[in-house]
Amino acid sequence: MSAVPPAMAALIRERIAVLFAGAQADPAVTTSDTDRACAEAAEQFIIDVAAMSDAQRDAVGSALRAGTYPFFQTVYVHDLGFRLRMALEQLFEEPAADPASGSPAPRASQEPVDLWPALDTFLTVVAALDHLDPVTTELIRLRGARAHNCRICQSRRNVTAVTRGADESTFDKIDFYESSDLDERHKVALRLTDAVIWQPAAYPPTLVKQVRDTFTPQETIEIVLDVVRNAANKVAVALQADQAVVSVGVEYFSVASDGRLAYGLQAPVTAAAGS
C-alpha cells in the first residue's frame, strides 16, 4: 500500500474493479495526463501484458521516471491479489477477504516502501510448495510464460521435470493441450491456469467440479499460487526486461527445498540423450 502514492494505488485498484467487477469508472481518479497514461498501462498489464505497446510503456516511463518499476510492481501485487481472491471464492465457495482492506491507509508524507523484499519472500515461499508433481508444475509455468510472452521464462526448463520424464515433445503439447494426449490431470491443471489468467472473475461452468474431482485442496491452492507467482514475469515483460539468457536452446534451472532457484545448470542426461 505504500510502494506508490496513495492516489496511484487507488487508480490501480479502480482499474481492476472496472475491468473485472463491473464497477463504473470514476472520472475523478484519472484527472491528469499522468493518471491517464498509468491507467491505460495498468489495464494493458492486467488484461494482456504481451500486447503492451512501446507507446504505453514509454508514456509511463516519461511520467513516472524512477517510479516506473515500483508502479508496475504495485500493479502486479493488486492484480495477483484479485486473481487469488477470485480463485478462492470460486473453488472453495467462501469469500476471501481482501488483505489490503484492513490495512491502514499510507501516510502521504512517508517515503515509498521497496516492494521487492516482500515479493522475493512470496516468490520463494510459493516455489517451495511441493504438493504438485514437478511435471505438472512445469506445465503450469510454461503455459503462463507463453500467455504473457515472457522470453526468459519460455527459454527455461526445470531439471526435475525433465528427469521425471517431460521433454520438448511434452512441452510442445501445451499450446494445444485440449486436443493432445496429455493426461486428464495435466489438462485440468492447464484449464485452471487459463481461467486464472484469462477469466479470473468467472471460470467456465464445469471447471470447478473438474478441479475438485482431480486435485486435493492443497494441490488446487498450489496451482493457483503457482499461476499468480509465475505472473511476476509480467513486470519484466512490461519493462521489456525479459530477454532470454541463452540465444540457442534452453537454460536449465532447479528449485531447492527452500524455494531458491539455481540457473545455468547442465542439461540432465535424459534431456541430452533425447536431443
Side-chain angles (χ1 to χ4, degrees):
M1 293 295 287
S2 302
V4 297
M8 189 62 69
L11 181 151
I12 295 167
R13 293 169 69 84
E14 191 257 2
R15 290 295 89 192
I16 293 174
V18 169
L19 291 171
F20 293 127
Q24 293 294 314
D26 182 359
V29 175
T30 54
T31 57
S32 68
D33 289 344
T34 293
D35 291 341
R36 284 186 283 274
C38 291
E40 181 178 339
E43 286 187 1
Q44 191 65 65
F45 183 106
I46 293 162
I47 295 172
D48 184 6
V49 72
M52 182 169 288
S53 68
D54 290 340
Q56 289 172 322
R57 61 174 58 90
D58 290 347
V60 174
S62 297
L64 300 183
R65 299 190 182 278
T68 302
Y69 183 46
F71 167 75
F72 282 122
Q73 282 188 319
T74 304
V75 177
Y76 165 63
V77 170
H78 286 296
D79 186 31
L80 83 85
F82 173 80
R83 293 171 193 275
L84 180 58
R85 292 196 303 277
M86 290 299 97
L88 294 177
E89 288 187 13
Q90 292 175 88
L91 295 167
F92 297 97
E93 297 182 345
E94 290 190 15
D98 180 351
S101 63
S103 303
R107 300 188 303 275
S109 60
Q110 75 184 80
E111 288 296 316
V113 172
D114 181 8
L115 260 182
W116 176 246
L119 285 175
D120 185 49
T121 298
F122 171 72
L123 300 177
T124 303
V125 169
V126 174
L129 299 176
D130 60 0
H131 292 288
L132 290 172
D133 65 276
V135 174
T136 302
T137 297
E138 185 68 346
L139 291 173
I140 292 166
R141 186 189 69 81
L142 286 170
R143 183 68 176 178
R146 294 175 184 182
H148 303 142
N149 196 25
C150 178
R151 292 170 289 175
I152 191 168
C153 299
Q154 293 180 81
S155 73
R156 288 174 169 166
R157 301 290 184 270
N158 183 289
V159 166
T160 306
V162 174
T163 59
R164 296 288 181 88
D167 57 20
E168 288 308 305
S169 68
T170 308
F171 302 137
D172 287 343
K173 296 171 187 175
I174 293 172
D175 292 329
F176 56 95
Y177 67 87
E178 288 289 11
S179 60
S180 76
D181 61 358
L182 287 174
D183 63 46
E184 187 64 15
R185 179 179 173 86
H186 289 150
K187 290 181 179 181
V188 173
L190 292 172
R191 287 174 199 147
L192 180 54
T193 299
D194 281 355
V196 176
I197 293 172
W198 300 116
Q199 299 175 268
Y203 293 175
T206 60
L207 179 61
V208 172
K209 184 177 187 307
Q210 291 174 358
V211 171
R212 290 175 178 171
D213 289 346
T214 306
F215 296 102
T216 67
Q218 293 88 346
E219 290 172 330
T220 299
I221 291 172
E222 186 170 333
I223 291 172
V224 175
L225 284 170
D226 278 351
V227 176
V228 297
R229 174 203 180 274
N230 297 336
N233 60 21
K234 294 170 74 171
V235 177
V237 172
L239 295 169
Q240 286 191 316
D242 62 316
Q243 296 86 349
V245 174
V246 294
S247 56
V248 178
V250 296
E251 178 187 16
Y252 292 93
F253 73 95
S254 65
V255 183
S257 60
D258 64 357
R260 294 293 173 183
L261 276 61
Y263 298 103
L265 305 181
Q266 289 223 321
V269 172
T270 52
S275 61

